[in-house]
Amino acid sequence: MFDAYVFIIPLWAVLIGANATEVGLLVGIRSLLPGLLAIHGGVLIDRYGPRRIMIAFITVIVVMAPLYPLLPWFVPLLVMQTVIGLALTMQWVGAQTTIAHLSKGDTTYLGRFSFASRVGTFIAPVVFGLLWDLTSPAVCFIGVSLWAAAMLALTLAITDGTPEAAAGGTGRPAPTAGRPAGGLIRALMPKLSDYRDTLALCAIPAIAVSIAACFLRNSTSSIQGSIYVVYLTEIGLAGTVIGVLFAAVEGASGLGSLVAGRASRHFSPFAMLTGSTAAAIALIAVTPLLGGIVTFLLLAQVARGLIQGIHQPVVFSIQAKAVPRERQGATVALRVTVNRISAITVPVVMGILADTFGISASFFVLGGVLLAGTGVLWLFARRIPETAAT
């Protein structure tokens, strides 16, 4: 669903006459509430179970998606993008929390989960691109709503992350279970203590290392979504070729996630974590050295995708095993928040470096900084007992 929105919102904005600044605002505003409220949402997931929270937010998507063609003005679109951004993020946090509960940190199952998500990110632009070209924007947005409705049906079918469900129940709490004290509105309001307690999870070495690794690894995606595109355009590559390079990462990531479980039998989780992070950074940092040769660029993207595919289940596994069941949602939300910070800060830093040193040199400068950070992370990770992730 996220990739469907990423694909069609800019197209819709251009169609209704939005300028470049307005398109940028519409795309960027969806990260505002997730950055502010993801941790609070993760706490609510731990408190009331992922199933309840997912049902609420997916219903928002089902209802709001068909409204886009009915409100073709910038301000209403900005408001809807703000709400939809939070809804999309929270259903993804809920899905990750659910698989963490069910898999108990098993890397093989988490790898299959990552593979399924990569299949979605790979085919969503194709499906909705065809809908956009062959039908109309209204049908395209209705398609998003139906996609969300399918997600809602699946969510209704799963068990919840409640103790009752863990013990083999239906996942539907008893009438008195989970009833908020002091009223529903008060229970749903963000609390400073929730943020404090969630950030305190970083005091757990395994969580601190994995969160830092997420920031470093996700920096490569931020580079790809910013200066990487500018560089490829400047060396004369067509948009279709750039699209293929992007798709290659997603497709390879799906395959990489399937081998994560087997790799975890031969390598320690922290070695896999830091090694995959360093390799992913190096593979995008060397882009200017590939001479603009499409074959080399494609091979680098495929290799990076395979490595990133292994990285994600390892992170999921380390974090799922490092915290108790009742803190899984908060942990996922903490990871999402750090990812948002990376998505906001790295493109800005990369842009400054490109203006200062030139585009080609900026790959080397930022890549060197990120690799140095990974080296420090590896030194710290060596001191964590293997049992911390097993």
Side-chain angles (χ1 to χ4, degrees):
M1 284 187 289
F2 183 85
D3 286 83
Y5 269 99
V6 167
F7 183 79
I8 64 176
I9 291 301
L11 294 176
W12 174 243
V14 171
L15 187 64
I16 64 173
N19 58 39
T21 300
E22 290 172 335
V23 172
L25 285 172
L26 287 172
V27 172
I29 198 68
R30 65 171 174 256
S31 296
L32 177 62
L33 290 183
L36 296 173
L37 298 177
I39 288 177
H40 174 60
V43 171
L44 292 180
I45 286 174
D46 287 331
R47 191 170 295 156
Y48 302 118
R51 185 174 179 274
R52 289 182 178 183
I53 304 301
M54 290 173 70
I55 288 172
F57 280 108
I58 296 169
T59 301
V60 170
I61 301 172
V62 172
V63 173
M64 290 189 67
L67 299 180
Y68 278 78
L70 302 178
L71 299 168
W73 304 286
F74 177 71
V75 174
L77 287 179
L78 200 64
V79 174
M80 287 194 293
Q81 279 289 92
T82 304
V83 177
I84 284 289
L86 180 63
L88 288 168
T89 299
M90 291 315 305
Q91 61 86 21
W92 176 230
V93 172
Q96 292 179 75
T97 305
T98 299
I99 193 64
H101 288 166
L102 297 175
S103 68
K104 297 180 175 62
D106 186 284
T107 308
T108 298
Y109 288 106
L110 291 167
R112 294 171 185 171
F113 173 80
S114 294
F115 174 77
S117 70
R118 296 293 183 180
V119 171
T121 62
F122 186 80
I123 69 172
V126 176
V127 171
F128 288 94
L130 288 172
L131 282 177
W132 185 272
D133 290 337
L134 300 179
T135 58
S136 68
V139 172
C140 204
F141 281 106
I142 290 173
V144 173
S145 181
L146 293 175
W147 192 289
M151 179 73 174
L152 179 60
L154 292 171
T155 304
L156 291 169
I158 65 174
T159 58
D160 204 346
T162 58
E164 293 89 343
T170 63
R172 295 171 175 78
T176 57
R179 183 173 295 168
L184 179 62
I185 299 300
R186 182 179 177 183
L188 294 179
M189 293 296 291
K191 298 179 179 65
L192 183 61
S193 59
D194 289 338
Y195 284 82
R196 179 199 64 209
D197 294 343
T198 300
L199 292 173
L201 291 171
C202 290
I204 302 171
I207 296 298
V209 167
S210 59
I211 288 293
C214 282
F215 179 88
L216 293 167
R217 208 289 301 158
N218 280 315
S219 297
T220 64
S221 298
S222 300
I223 293 171
Q224 177 179 281
S226 55
I227 297 300
Y228 183 78
V229 177
V230 177
Y231 173 80
L232 295 181
T233 303
E234 287 196 352
I235 63 175
L237 295 189
T240 302
V241 176
I242 297 174
V244 169
L245 292 175
F246 273 59
V249 171
E250 294 298 327
S253 293
L255 297 176
S257 64
L258 290 178
V259 303
R262 180 170 297 179
S264 66
R265 301 171 194 164
H266 304 286
F267 303 97
S268 73
F270 293 110
M272 292 174 63
L273 183 70
T274 54
S276 61
T277 301
I281 294 169
L283 283 166
I284 199 165
V286 300
T287 297
L289 299 179
L290 302 179
I293 301 172
V294 174
T295 301
F296 291 166
L297 291 168
L298 182 62
L299 290 174
Q301 287 288 83
V302 169
R304 185 162 66 88
L306 290 170
I307 289 166
Q308 291 180 177
I310 294 173
H311 180 276
Q312 189 179 58
V314 172
V315 170
F316 289 174
S317 178
I318 289 174
Q319 294 184 350
K321 294 173 180 177
V323 297
R325 181 186 182 89
E326 62 272 12
R327 299 295 288 159
Q328 295 289 341
T331 304
V332 172
L334 180 62
R335 182 171 69 239
V336 168
T337 301
V338 170
N339 291 346
R340 296 294 182 184
I341 293 172
S342 174
I344 293 170
T345 58
V346 171
V348 175
V349 172
M350 195 72 177
I352 294 172
L353 292 175
D355 289 336
T356 304
F357 301 102
I359 290 182
S360 295
S362 66
F363 282 90
F364 305 138
V365 174
L366 186 57
V369 172
L370 294 175
L371 285 172
T374 306
V376 173
L377 190 66
W378 174 72
L379 292 174
F380 185 72
R382 291 180 62 192
R383 302 175 61 183
I384 302 176
E386 292 301 326
T387 53
T390 55

Short mmCIF file of all heavy atoms in Angstrom, two decimals, residues 71-129:
data_model
loop_
_atom_site.label_atom_id
_atom_site.label_comp_id
_atom_site.label_asym_id
_atom_site.label_seq_id
_atom_site.Cartn_x
_atom_site.Cartn_y
_atom_site.Cartn_z
N LEU A 71 -11.62 15.47 -4.00
CA LEU A 71 -11.10 16.70 -3.39
C LEU A 71 -9.79 17.10 -4.09
O LEU A 71 -8.71 17.04 -3.50
CB LEU A 71 -10.87 16.49 -1.89
CG LEU A 71 -12.11 16.13 -1.06
CD1 LEU A 71 -11.70 15.66 0.33
CD2 LEU A 71 -13.05 17.32 -0.97
N PRO A 72 -9.88 17.52 -5.34
CA PRO A 72 -8.66 17.79 -6.14
C PRO A 72 -8.06 19.17 -5.89
O PRO A 72 -7.80 19.92 -6.83
CB PRO A 72 -9.17 17.65 -7.57
CG PRO A 72 -10.59 18.12 -7.49
CD PRO A 72 -11.10 17.68 -6.15
N TRP A 73 -7.85 19.48 -4.62
CA TRP A 73 -7.24 20.76 -4.26
C TRP A 73 -6.10 20.51 -3.30
O TRP A 73 -6.09 19.54 -2.56
CB TRP A 73 -8.28 21.70 -3.63
CG TRP A 73 -9.46 21.93 -4.52
CD1 TRP A 73 -9.51 22.70 -5.65
CD2 TRP A 73 -10.76 21.33 -4.39
NE1 TRP A 73 -10.76 22.65 -6.21
CE2 TRP A 73 -11.55 21.81 -5.46
CE3 TRP A 73 -11.34 20.44 -3.47
CZ2 TRP A 73 -12.87 21.44 -5.64
CZ3 TRP A 73 -12.64 20.07 -3.64
CH2 TRP A 73 -13.40 20.56 -4.71
N PHE A 74 -5.15 21.42 -3.30
CA PHE A 74 -3.90 21.19 -2.58
C PHE A 74 -4.11 21.02 -1.08
O PHE A 74 -3.59 20.07 -0.47
CB PHE A 74 -2.92 22.33 -2.85
CG PHE A 74 -1.63 22.20 -2.08
CD1 PHE A 74 -0.70 21.22 -2.41
CD2 PHE A 74 -1.35 23.05 -1.01
CE1 PHE A 74 0.48 21.08 -1.70
CE2 PHE A 74 -0.17 22.92 -0.31
CZ PHE A 74 0.75 21.94 -0.65
N VAL A 75 -4.83 21.92 -0.43
CA VAL A 75 -4.96 21.88 1.04
C VAL A 75 -5.64 20.60 1.51
O VAL A 75 -5.13 19.93 2.42
CB VAL A 75 -5.70 23.13 1.55
CG1 VAL A 75 -5.97 23.00 3.06
CG2 VAL A 75 -4.88 24.39 1.28
N PRO A 76 -6.79 20.19 0.93
CA PRO A 76 -7.37 18.90 1.35
C PRO A 76 -6.42 17.72 1.12
O PRO A 76 -6.35 16.80 1.95
CB PRO A 76 -8.62 18.77 0.48
CG PRO A 76 -8.97 20.16 0.09
CD PRO A 76 -7.66 20.87 -0.04
N LEU A 77 -5.68 17.76 0.00
CA LEU A 77 -4.72 16.68 -0.26
C LEU A 77 -3.63 16.65 0.80
O LEU A 77 -3.21 15.57 1.24
CB LEU A 77 -4.09 16.86 -1.64
CG LEU A 77 -4.97 16.56 -2.86
CD1 LEU A 77 -4.20 16.83 -4.14
CD2 LEU A 77 -5.48 15.14 -2.84
N LEU A 78 -3.18 17.82 1.22
CA LEU A 78 -2.14 17.90 2.24
C LEU A 78 -2.62 17.28 3.55
O LEU A 78 -1.89 16.53 4.21
CB LEU A 78 -1.73 19.36 2.45
CG LEU A 78 -0.38 19.63 3.11
CD1 LEU A 78 0.75 19.13 2.22
CD2 LEU A 78 -0.21 21.13 3.37
N VAL A 79 -3.87 17.58 3.92
CA VAL A 79 -4.44 17.03 5.15
C VAL A 79 -4.57 15.51 5.04
O VAL A 79 -4.21 14.76 5.96
CB VAL A 79 -5.82 17.67 5.44
CG1 VAL A 79 -6.48 16.98 6.63
CG2 VAL A 79 -5.66 19.16 5.71
N MET A 80 -5.08 15.04 3.90
CA MET A 80 -5.25 13.60 3.74
C MET A 80 -3.91 12.87 3.72
O MET A 80 -3.78 11.78 4.29
CB MET A 80 -6.03 13.31 2.45
CG MET A 80 -7.51 13.68 2.54
SD MET A 80 -8.52 12.98 1.20
CE MET A 80 -7.87 13.88 -0.21
N GLN A 81 -2.91 13.48 3.09
CA GLN A 81 -1.58 12.87 3.08
C GLN A 81 -1.01 12.75 4.50
O GLN A 81 -0.34 11.77 4.83
CB GLN A 81 -0.64 13.68 2.20
CG GLN A 81 -0.76 13.41 0.72
CD GLN A 81 -0.23 12.06 0.34
OE1 GLN A 81 -0.99 11.07 0.30
NE2 GLN A 81 1.04 11.96 0.06
N THR A 82 -1.27 13.75 5.32
CA THR A 82 -0.79 13.72 6.70
C THR A 82 -1.39 12.54 7.46
O THR A 82 -0.69 11.80 8.16
CB THR A 82 -1.14 15.04 7.42
OG1 THR A 82 -0.60 16.14 6.68
CG2 THR A 82 -0.56 15.07 8.83
N VAL A 83 -2.70 12.35 7.31
CA VAL A 83 -3.39 11.27 8.01
C VAL A 83 -3.01 9.91 7.43
O VAL A 83 -2.72 8.95 8.16
CB VAL A 83 -4.92 11.48 7.94
CG1 VAL A 83 -5.65 10.31 8.60
CG2 VAL A 83 -5.30 12.79 8.62
N ILE A 84 -3.00 9.83 6.09
CA ILE A 84 -2.69 8.56 5.43
C ILE A 84 -1.27 8.11 5.77
O ILE A 84 -1.00 6.91 5.95
CB ILE A 84 -2.87 8.70 3.91
CG1 ILE A 84 -4.34 8.69 3.54
CG2 ILE A 84 -2.15 7.58 3.17
CD1 ILE A 84 -5.04 7.35 3.69
N GLY A 85 -0.35 9.07 5.86
CA GLY A 85 1.04 8.71 6.20
C GLY A 85 1.12 7.99 7.53
O GLY A 85 1.84 6.98 7.66
N LEU A 86 0.38 8.48 8.52
CA LEU A 86 0.37 7.81 9.82
C LEU A 86 -0.30 6.44 9.73
O LEU A 86 0.18 5.46 10.31
CB LEU A 86 -0.35 8.68 10.85
CG LEU A 86 -0.44 8.10 12.27
CD1 LEU A 86 0.95 7.92 12.87
CD2 LEU A 86 -1.30 9.00 13.16
N ALA A 87 -1.42 6.37 9.00
CA ALA A 87 -2.14 5.09 8.87
C ALA A 87 -1.29 4.03 8.20
O ALA A 87 -1.24 2.87 8.64
CB ALA A 87 -3.44 5.31 8.10
N LEU A 88 -0.60 4.41 7.12
CA LEU A 88 0.26 3.46 6.41
C LEU A 88 1.39 2.96 7.32
O LEU A 88 1.71 1.77 7.34
CB LEU A 88 0.85 4.11 5.17
CG LEU A 88 -0.10 4.37 4.00
CD1 LEU A 88 0.55 5.28 2.97
CD2 LEU A 88 -0.54 3.07 3.36
N THR A 89 1.98 3.88 8.07
CA THR A 89 3.08 3.51 8.95
C THR A 89 2.62 2.57 10.06
O THR A 89 3.28 1.56 10.35
CB THR A 89 3.72 4.77 9.57
OG1 THR A 89 4.24 5.58 8.52
CG2 THR A 89 4.85 4.39 10.52
N MET A 90 1.48 2.88 10.66
CA MET A 90 1.03 2.08 11.80
C MET A 90 0.58 0.69 11.39
O MET A 90 0.76 -0.28 12.15
CB MET A 90 -0.08 2.81 12.55
CG MET A 90 0.39 4.07 13.28
SD MET A 90 1.93 3.85 14.21
CE MET A 90 1.52 2.46 15.26
N GLN A 91 0.00 0.53 10.20
CA GLN A 91 -0.36 -0.84 9.79
C GLN A 91 0.90 -1.65 9.54
O GLN A 91 0.94 -2.85 9.78
CB GLN A 91 -1.30 -0.83 8.58
CG GLN A 91 -0.76 -0.19 7.32
CD GLN A 91 0.05 -1.15 6.45
OE1 GLN A 91 -0.09 -2.37 6.57
NE2 GLN A 91 0.89 -0.61 5.57
N TRP A 92 1.98 -0.99 9.08
CA TRP A 92 3.25 -1.69 8.86
C TRP A 92 3.91 -2.03 10.20
O TRP A 92 4.46 -3.13 10.37
CB TRP A 92 4.15 -0.81 8.01
CG TRP A 92 5.55 -1.32 7.75
CD1 TRP A 92 6.69 -0.62 7.91
CD2 TRP A 92 5.95 -2.60 7.25
NE1 TRP A 92 7.79 -1.38 7.56
CE2 TRP A 92 7.35 -2.61 7.15
CE3 TRP A 92 5.25 -3.75 6.89
CZ2 TRP A 92 8.08 -3.71 6.71
CZ3 TRP A 92 5.98 -4.86 6.44
CH2 TRP A 92 7.36 -4.82 6.36
N VAL A 93 3.85 -1.12 11.16
CA VAL A 93 4.36 -1.43 12.50
C VAL A 93 3.59 -2.59 13.11
O VAL A 93 4.17 -3.50 13.72
CB VAL A 93 4.28 -0.18 13.42
CG1 VAL A 93 4.62 -0.56 14.87
CG2 VAL A 93 5.21 0.91 12.93
N GLY A 94 2.27 -2.59 12.93
CA GLY A 94 1.45 -3.68 13.46
C GLY A 94 1.79 -5.01 12.81
O GLY A 94 1.86 -6.05 13.49
N ALA A 95 2.03 -5.00 11.49
CA ALA A 95 2.39 -6.24 10.81
C ALA A 95 3.73 -6.78 11.30
O ALA A 95 3.88 -7.99 11.55
CB ALA A 95 2.45 -5.99 9.30
N GLN A 96 4.71 -5.89 11.49
CA GLN A 96 6.02 -6.32 11.98
C GLN A 96 5.93 -6.84 13.41
O GLN A 96 6.61 -7.81 13.78
CB GLN A 96 7.00 -5.15 11.92
CG GLN A 96 7.37 -4.72 10.52
CD GLN A 96 8.33 -3.55 10.52
OE1 GLN A 96 9.50 -3.69 10.79
NE2 GLN A 96 7.80 -2.36 10.22
N THR A 97 5.09 -6.20 14.22
CA THR A 97 4.93 -6.67 15.60
C THR A 97 4.28 -8.04 15.63
O THR A 97 4.66 -8.92 16.40
CB THR A 97 4.06 -5.67 16.40
OG1 THR A 97 4.64 -4.37 16.32
CG2 THR A 97 3.96 -6.09 17.85
N THR A 98 3.30 -8.24 14.75
CA THR A 98 2.61 -9.54 14.69
C THR A 98 3.58 -10.65 14.32
O THR A 98 3.59 -11.72 14.95
CB THR A 98 1.46 -9.48 13.65
OG1 THR A 98 0.52 -8.49 14.06
CG2 THR A 98 0.76 -10.83 13.55
N ILE A 99 4.42 -10.43 13.29
CA ILE A 99 5.34 -11.49 12.89
C ILE A 99 6.41 -11.71 13.96
O ILE A 99 6.88 -12.83 14.15
CB ILE A 99 5.98 -11.17 11.51
CG1 ILE A 99 6.69 -12.41 10.95
CG2 ILE A 99 6.94 -10.01 11.59
CD1 ILE A 99 5.77 -13.56 10.64
N ALA A 100 6.78 -10.65 14.69
CA ALA A 100 7.73 -10.81 15.79
C ALA A 100 7.15 -11.70 16.87
O ALA A 100 7.83 -12.56 17.44
CB ALA A 100 8.12 -9.45 16.36
N HIS A 101 5.85 -11.51 17.16
CA HIS A 101 5.19 -12.36 18.15
C HIS A 101 5.13 -13.82 17.68
O HIS A 101 5.45 -14.75 18.43
CB HIS A 101 3.76 -11.87 18.38
CG HIS A 101 3.67 -10.57 19.15
ND1 HIS A 101 2.52 -9.83 19.21
CD2 HIS A 101 4.60 -9.90 19.87
CE1 HIS A 101 2.74 -8.76 19.96
NE2 HIS A 101 3.99 -8.78 20.36
N LEU A 102 4.71 -14.01 16.44
CA LEU A 102 4.46 -15.36 15.95
C LEU A 102 5.74 -16.15 15.69
O LEU A 102 5.80 -17.35 15.90
CB LEU A 102 3.62 -15.30 14.67
CG LEU A 102 2.21 -14.70 14.81
CD1 LEU A 102 1.55 -14.59 13.45
CD2 LEU A 102 1.37 -15.56 15.75
N SER A 103 6.78 -15.45 15.22
CA SER A 103 8.02 -16.14 14.87
C SER A 103 8.96 -16.33 16.05
O SER A 103 9.88 -17.14 15.98
CB SER A 103 8.77 -15.35 13.79
OG SER A 103 9.25 -14.12 14.32
N LYS A 104 8.73 -15.54 17.12
CA LYS A 104 9.62 -15.57 18.29
C LYS A 104 11.08 -15.31 17.89
O LYS A 104 12.01 -15.87 18.47
CB LYS A 104 9.50 -16.88 19.04
CG LYS A 104 8.10 -17.12 19.63
CD LYS A 104 8.03 -18.43 20.37
CE LYS A 104 6.68 -18.59 21.07
NZ LYS A 104 5.55 -18.61 20.11
N GLY A 105 11.26 -14.48 16.87
CA GLY A 105 12.61 -14.09 16.46
C GLY A 105 13.30 -15.05 15.52
O GLY A 105 14.48 -14.87 15.22
N ASP A 106 12.60 -16.08 15.02
CA ASP A 106 13.23 -17.03 14.11
C ASP A 106 13.55 -16.35 12.78
O ASP A 106 12.65 -15.83 12.10
CB ASP A 106 12.28 -18.21 13.87
CG ASP A 106 12.93 -19.31 13.05
OD1 ASP A 106 13.06 -19.12 11.82
OD2 ASP A 106 13.31 -20.34 13.63
N THR A 107 14.83 -16.35 12.40
CA THR A 107 15.27 -15.61 11.21
C THR A 107 14.65 -16.15 9.94
O THR A 107 14.38 -15.40 9.00
CB THR A 107 16.80 -15.66 11.11
OG1 THR A 107 17.37 -15.23 12.34
CG2 THR A 107 17.30 -14.73 10.00
N THR A 108 14.40 -17.46 9.87
CA THR A 108 13.82 -18.05 8.66
C THR A 108 12.44 -17.50 8.39
O THR A 108 12.11 -17.07 7.28
CB THR A 108 13.77 -19.58 8.79
OG1 THR A 108 15.10 -20.09 8.93
CG2 THR A 108 13.13 -20.19 7.55
N TYR A 109 11.58 -17.49 9.42
CA TYR A 109 10.22 -16.97 9.25
C TYR A 109 10.24 -15.46 8.98
O TYR A 109 9.47 -14.96 8.17
CB TYR A 109 9.37 -17.26 10.48
CG TYR A 109 8.99 -18.72 10.60
CD1 TYR A 109 9.59 -19.54 11.55
CD2 TYR A 109 8.04 -19.29 9.75
CE1 TYR A 109 9.26 -20.88 11.66
CE2 TYR A 109 7.70 -20.63 9.84
CZ TYR A 109 8.32 -21.43 10.80
OH TYR A 109 8.00 -22.75 10.89
N LEU A 110 11.13 -14.76 9.65
CA LEU A 110 11.24 -13.33 9.41
C LEU A 110 11.75 -13.05 8.01
O LEU A 110 11.36 -12.05 7.38
CB LEU A 110 12.17 -12.70 10.45
CG LEU A 110 11.61 -12.67 11.88
CD1 LEU A 110 12.71 -12.34 12.89
CD2 LEU A 110 10.49 -11.66 11.99
N GLY A 111 12.61 -13.91 7.48
CA GLY A 111 13.07 -13.77 6.11
C GLY A 111 11.93 -13.95 5.12
O GLY A 111 11.84 -13.23 4.12
N ARG A 112 11.04 -14.91 5.38
CA ARG A 112 9.89 -15.11 4.50
C ARG A 112 8.95 -13.91 4.56
O ARG A 112 8.35 -13.51 3.55
CB ARG A 112 9.14 -16.39 4.89
CG ARG A 112 9.96 -17.64 4.64
CD ARG A 112 9.30 -18.88 5.23
NE ARG A 112 10.16 -20.06 5.07
CZ ARG A 112 9.92 -21.22 5.65
NH1 ARG A 112 8.85 -21.38 6.41
NH2 ARG A 112 10.74 -22.23 5.46
N PHE A 113 8.81 -13.34 5.75
CA PHE A 113 8.01 -12.13 5.91
C PHE A 113 8.60 -10.99 5.08
O PHE A 113 7.89 -10.28 4.37
CB PHE A 113 7.95 -11.75 7.39
CG PHE A 113 7.30 -10.42 7.67
CD1 PHE A 113 5.92 -10.31 7.70
CD2 PHE A 113 8.06 -9.29 7.91
CE1 PHE A 113 5.31 -9.09 7.96
CE2 PHE A 113 7.47 -8.07 8.18
CZ PHE A 113 6.09 -7.96 8.21
N SER A 114 9.92 -10.82 5.16
CA SER A 114 10.59 -9.77 4.37
C SER A 114 10.42 -10.02 2.88
O SER A 114 10.22 -9.09 2.09
CB SER A 114 12.08 -9.71 4.73
OG SER A 114 12.27 -9.30 6.05
N PHE A 115 10.51 -11.30 2.48
CA PHE A 115 10.33 -11.64 1.06
C PHE A 115 8.94 -11.24 0.59
O PHE A 115 8.77 -10.64 -0.48
CB PHE A 115 10.55 -13.13 0.85
CG PHE A 115 10.25 -13.59 -0.55
CD1 PHE A 115 11.16 -13.35 -1.57
CD2 PHE A 115 9.08 -14.26 -0.85
CE1 PHE A 115 10.90 -13.77 -2.87
CE2 PHE A 115 8.81 -14.68 -2.15
CZ PHE A 115 9.72 -14.43 -3.16
N ALA A 116 7.92 -11.55 1.39
CA ALA A 116 6.55 -11.19 1.02
C ALA A 116 6.40 -9.68 0.87
O ALA A 116 5.75 -9.20 -0.06
CB ALA A 116 5.57 -11.72 2.07
N SER A 117 7.01 -8.93 1.79
CA SER A 117 6.90 -7.47 1.71
C SER A 117 7.62 -6.95 0.47
O SER A 117 7.16 -6.00 -0.18
CB SER A 117 7.47 -6.82 2.98
OG SER A 117 8.87 -6.95 3.05
N ARG A 118 8.75 -7.56 0.12
CA ARG A 118 9.48 -7.14 -1.07
C ARG A 118 8.70 -7.44 -2.35
O ARG A 118 8.76 -6.69 -3.32
CB ARG A 118 10.85 -7.82 -1.14
CG ARG A 118 11.78 -7.45 -0.01
CD ARG A 118 12.21 -6.01 -0.06
NE ARG A 118 13.16 -5.70 1.00
CZ ARG A 118 13.69 -4.49 1.18
NH1 ARG A 118 13.36 -3.50 0.40
NH2 ARG A 118 14.55 -4.28 2.16
N VAL A 119 7.98 -8.55 -2.36
CA VAL A 119 7.12 -8.84 -3.50
C VAL A 119 6.10 -7.73 -3.67
O VAL A 119 5.82 -7.25 -4.79
CB VAL A 119 6.42 -10.20 -3.32
CG1 VAL A 119 5.35 -10.41 -4.40
CG2 VAL A 119 7.42 -11.34 -3.37
N GLY A 120 5.54 -7.27 -2.55
CA GLY A 120 4.58 -6.17 -2.61
C GLY A 120 5.18 -4.89 -3.14
O GLY A 120 4.60 -4.22 -4.01
N THR A 121 6.38 -4.54 -2.65
CA THR A 121 7.01 -3.31 -3.12
C THR A 121 7.42 -3.40 -4.58
O THR A 121 7.50 -2.38 -5.27
CB THR A 121 8.26 -2.97 -2.27
OG1 THR A 121 9.23 -4.02 -2.42
CG2 THR A 121 7.91 -2.83 -0.81
N PHE A 122 7.64 -4.62 -5.06
CA PHE A 122 8.06 -4.81 -6.45
C PHE A 122 6.87 -4.71 -7.41
O PHE A 122 6.97 -4.09 -8.47
CB PHE A 122 8.74 -6.17 -6.60
CG PHE A 122 9.34 -6.41 -7.96
CD1 PHE A 122 10.56 -5.86 -8.30
CD2 PHE A 122 8.67 -7.18 -8.90
CE1 PHE A 122 11.12 -6.06 -9.56
CE2 PHE A 122 9.21 -7.40 -10.15
CZ PHE A 122 10.44 -6.84 -10.48
N ILE A 123 5.74 -5.32 -7.05
CA ILE A 123 4.62 -5.38 -8.00
C ILE A 123 3.65 -4.20 -7.87
O ILE A 123 2.92 -3.91 -8.83
CB ILE A 123 3.83 -6.70 -7.86
CG1 ILE A 123 3.07 -6.75 -6.52
CG2 ILE A 123 4.74 -7.89 -8.01
CD1 ILE A 123 2.12 -7.93 -6.43
N ALA A 124 3.64 -3.52 -6.71
CA ALA A 124 2.66 -2.43 -6.53
C ALA A 124 2.79 -1.34 -7.60
O ALA A 124 1.78 -0.93 -8.19
CB ALA A 124 2.79 -1.83 -5.13
N PRO A 125 4.00 -0.84 -7.89
CA PRO A 125 4.09 0.19 -8.95
C PRO A 125 3.62 -0.32 -10.31
O PRO A 125 3.06 0.44 -11.10
CB PRO A 125 5.59 0.54 -8.96
CG PRO A 125 6.09 0.15 -7.63
CD PRO A 125 5.32 -1.06 -7.25
N VAL A 126 3.86 -1.61 -10.57
CA VAL A 126 3.43 -2.17 -11.86
C VAL A 126 1.91 -2.23 -11.93
O VAL A 126 1.28 -1.79 -12.91
CB VAL A 126 4.02 -3.58 -12.06
CG1 VAL A 126 3.51 -4.21 -13.36
CG2 VAL A 126 5.54 -3.53 -12.05
N VAL A 127 1.28 -2.76 -10.87
CA VAL A 127 -0.18 -2.91 -10.84
C VAL A 127 -0.87 -1.55 -10.96
O VAL A 127 -1.77 -1.36 -11.79
CB VAL A 127 -0.62 -3.62 -9.54
CG1 VAL A 127 -2.14 -3.58 -9.40
CG2 VAL A 127 -0.12 -5.06 -9.53
N PHE A 128 -0.42 -0.60 -10.15
CA PHE A 128 -1.10 0.69 -10.15
C PHE A 128 -0.67 1.56 -11.32
O PHE A 128 -1.41 2.47 -11.72
CB PHE A 128 -0.88 1.38 -8.80
CG PHE A 128 -1.66 0.72 -7.70
CD1 PHE A 128 -1.08 -0.26 -6.90
CD2 PHE A 128 -2.99 1.03 -7.49
CE1 PHE A 128 -1.80 -0.89 -5.91
CE2 PHE A 128 -3.73 0.40 -6.51
CZ PHE A 128 -3.13 -0.56 -5.71
N GLY A 129 0.49 1.28 -11.90
CA GLY A 129 0.86 1.94 -13.14
C GLY A 129 -0.07 1.54 -14.27
O GLY A 129 -0.51 2.37 -15.07
#
